[in-house]
Amino acid sequence: MRLPDMTRPTADAVESRLTYTDGASRTVFATEVEVPFPEGRLIVSRTDLDGIITHANDAFVELSGWVRDELIGKPHHILRHPDMPKVAFKDLWNTVSEGKKWHGYVKNLRKDGSYYWVYATAVPNIRNGQIAGYTSVRRKPSRTRIDELIPVYRQWLEQEKEKIAS
Amino acid sequence: MTLNFLIAPDFSPERFAGWHMLNTLLQRRSGIHLHLLTPASPAEQAALLAEGKVDMVYANPFDAADMIRSQGYVPFARPAERFDEMVIATGSESSLQKLEDIQPGSRIALTDNKDVKLIGLRLLEPADLNESLIEWVPVESFQAVARLTIKGGVQAGFFLAEAYASLTRMTRSQLRVLVESRISDISHVVLAHPRMAGDLPRLSEALLGIGREPADSDVLEALGIPKGFEAMTQEDAEFMIDLMDTLLD
């Protein structure tokens, strides 16, 4: 399932071309508008082994800006924000595919180009000894930790761009 | 033959009669004699389970996780549209206005409810608080949490949301909710011991059918489960356990 390019939401949205681990790529637009994480809620989603969304709870749907039918059956990277370094997701997939739990702070892209920060945990769904899919739960993050990580992610992103350029 | 039906000890005291009414109804409709076990504490529940005599159990979700994955209990029902949520409240006179105002070293009152504590800890993360930065004040009941919070003996209290809602209006007027969880995916679970596989279809049918007859609404109201019970598959339960696993750290 390849995602179509985003349409530019506002004049001041920044355009980026993202390439995902499955080789697909698309154009996204990101604005500087942050949407706060709703108090007391958890964002829950499940994917199959290929990262295709199979379940999304109401909080996931609401915060993403998409409607449920636009999310189910799509790759989870529909939420990928251009400010997120690829290495973070590489670590996620390496960890969960080994049957382990992964934690991390993630900046997600909404349908309208705005963003929200989460503290994400992903676990493999082990059934009869086999990994059958993955569950991801996102909760309201510490602002202190996000502020500490923003420059780190920026640095990792620069390193990735330099590597591609060289 | 009599089967033992254990009810997790975290229900509100005023629901006690409701569980007995449900038990009577289940016996009548399934034709199976059930002996209700209502332990007063998690420790008493653990002792009854360790004796190996519990055939059916209305379990707290965190206990259910262990019972399903380690002991082979079979999930088959859950309360319909009734989830386990928690409330963090402060005294109405407290200077705390939001969760982020709770400072390291603050005292928080709580009962011996693992689910309430775990969800509460996750809600405190945005305030940069973890377990070691709080002075925990364990108490026996949610009423005791309320008393201590109102008196200012603690900065905040943890409540099961249903228990908070069942406090008297006077008590609630002296408290202020800082946050209430709205997770909607975690609930109590009805489990059957694998040895009662032969009786399970009759019991399951009887439990899931409660609510179909007009008189059943009295029982469900007394239980605080107005929509009755819905079927829960093994995969539904496994998903809930995976979800709870993500909350453990």
Side-chain angles (χ1 to χ4, degrees):
Chain A
M1 168 62 70
R2 303 236 161 174
L3 296 170
D5 291 340
M6 272 175 77
T7 49
R8 182 183 286 275
T10 61
D12 57 356
V14 175
E15 180 177 339
S16 306
R17 187 80 185 162
L18 296 184
T19 302
Y20 307 108
T21 45
D22 64 359
S25 63
R26 72 166 181 153
T27 298
V28 299
F29 295 91
T31 71
E32 289 301 310
V33 178
E34 179 171 7
V35 175
F37 195 102
E39 286 290 344
R41 299 189 78 175
L42 293 178
I43 295 172
V44 181
S45 61
R46 296 177 85 182
T47 72
D48 65 12
L49 294 173
D50 297 321
I52 303 298
I53 299 168
T54 55
H55 167 87
N57 75 347
D58 291 344
F60 181 102
V61 174
E62 286 164 33
L63 203 53
S64 74
W66 300 89
V67 298
R68 193 180 305 275
D69 286 350
E70 291 173 318
L71 292 167
I72 303 295
K74 300 292 193 311
H76 211 276
H77 61 227
I78 193 170
L79 306 172
R80 188 76 56 87
H81 195 284
D83 288 351
M84 281 301 297
K86 281 184 181 175
V87 66
F89 297 104
K90 190 168 185 294
D91 182 45
L92 185 165
W93 282 106
N94 286 346
T95 305
V96 293
S97 59
E98 287 172 8
K100 298 177 194 160
K101 192 189 294 188
W102 180 89
H103 299 284
Y105 292 84
V106 178
K107 185 177 186 177
N108 279 150
L109 182 68
R110 284 168 48 94
K111 183 181 182 181
D112 64 2
S114 57
Y115 68 90
Y116 57 95
W117 279 98
V118 297
Y119 179 66
T121 305
V123 293
N125 307 133
I126 298 172
R127 306 287 184 266
N128 302 316
Q130 301 285 322
I131 299 176
Y134 303 99
T135 295
S136 173
V137 174
R138 277 80 83 197
R139 48 198 207 231
K140 187 177 179 182
S142 152
R143 179 55 59 175
T144 313
R145 285 293 293 140
I146 292 168
D147 290 343
E148 287 167 359
L149 279 169
I150 287 172
V152 176
Y153 283 0
R154 197 175 292 138
Q155 190 186 358
W156 288 355
L157 209 54
E158 287 304 319
Q159 286 168 354
E160 285 172 7
K161 283 177 185 164
E162 284 168 17
K163 202 173 166 187
I164 291 167
S166 63
Chain B
M1 188 181 74
T2 299
L3 298 180
N4 290 315
F5 181 17
L6 184 146
I7 310 299
D10 52 7
F11 62 90
S12 305
E14 67 266 29
R15 305 293 183 208
F16 189 75
W19 285 107
H20 279 278
M21 289 161 74
L22 177 84
N23 196 54
T24 304
L25 200 56
L26 271 180
Q27 288 185 93
R28 201 165 68 225
R29 295 203 180 153
S30 66
I32 296 169
H33 191 250
L34 295 168
H35 174 59
L36 201 61
L37 301 172
T38 53
S41 66
E44 196 180 324
Q45 173 186 278
L48 285 166
L49 285 165
E51 285 174 28
K53 292 178 184 166
V54 176
D55 302 296
M56 191 162 94
V57 53
Y58 178 71
N60 168 299
F62 287 85
D63 295 331
D66 178 61
M67 293 170 76
I68 293 168
R69 289 205 172 156
S70 306
Q71 300 173 54
Y73 274 83
V74 179
F76 68 96
R78 70 197 300 176
E81 297 176 37
R82 188 177 166 283
F83 302 103
D84 285 27
E85 306 291 356
M86 70 85 63
V87 163
I88 303 177
T90 189
S92 57
E93 304 294 318
S94 163
S95 60
L96 302 178
Q97 296 301 318
K98 58 183 189 302
L99 215 53
E100 283 82 353
D101 293 337
I102 301 177
Q103 296 301 308
S106 292
R107 288 160 60 82
I108 292 182
L110 79 174
T111 54
D112 187 11
N113 284 72
K114 282 181 282 187
D115 50 347
V116 171
K117 184 177 183 186
L118 188 64
I119 295 171
L121 278 170
R122 302 292 77 93
L123 296 178
L124 287 176
E125 282 173 341
D128 292 314
L129 294 169
N130 60 38
E131 189 158 9
S132 65
L133 295 174
I134 296 293
E135 188 184 332
W136 301 100
V137 182
V139 295
E140 287 295 314
S141 66
F142 291 114
Q143 286 81 358
V145 174
R147 279 196 297 276
L148 208 51
T149 308
I150 290 167
K151 282 184 190 165
V154 292
Q155 278 70 54
F158 279 12
F159 298 86
L160 189 66
E162 196 210 357
Y164 185 85
S166 68
L167 295 170
T168 66
R169 188 182 298 233
M170 171 66 93
T171 302
R172 275 183 284 129
S173 73
Q174 297 173 80
L175 292 165
R176 182 152 31 82
V177 174
L178 292 171
V179 68
E180 177 167 1
S181 71
R182 288 188 294 144
I183 295 171
S184 305
D185 277 310
I186 297 176
S187 69
H188 276 53
V189 183
V190 190
L191 307 171
H193 192 279
R195 68 174 162 258
M196 56 168 288
D199 294 316
L200 186 53
R202 271 192 296 162
L203 276 169
S204 174
E205 191 184 345
L207 183 66
L208 298 175
I210 293 176
R212 289 190 195 134
E213 294 182 22
D216 293 353
S217 59
D218 291 345
V219 178
L220 296 177
E221 286 297 330
L223 278 176
I225 304 175
K227 301 275 175 73
F229 293 83
E230 63 184 11
M232 186 181 212
T233 65
Q234 183 81 27
E235 179 53 33
D236 292 337
E238 294 283 355
F239 169 53
M240 192 176 85
I241 297 169
D242 282 338
L243 194 159
M244 290 188 299
D245 187 29
T246 70
L247 301 178
L248 291 174
D249 45 26

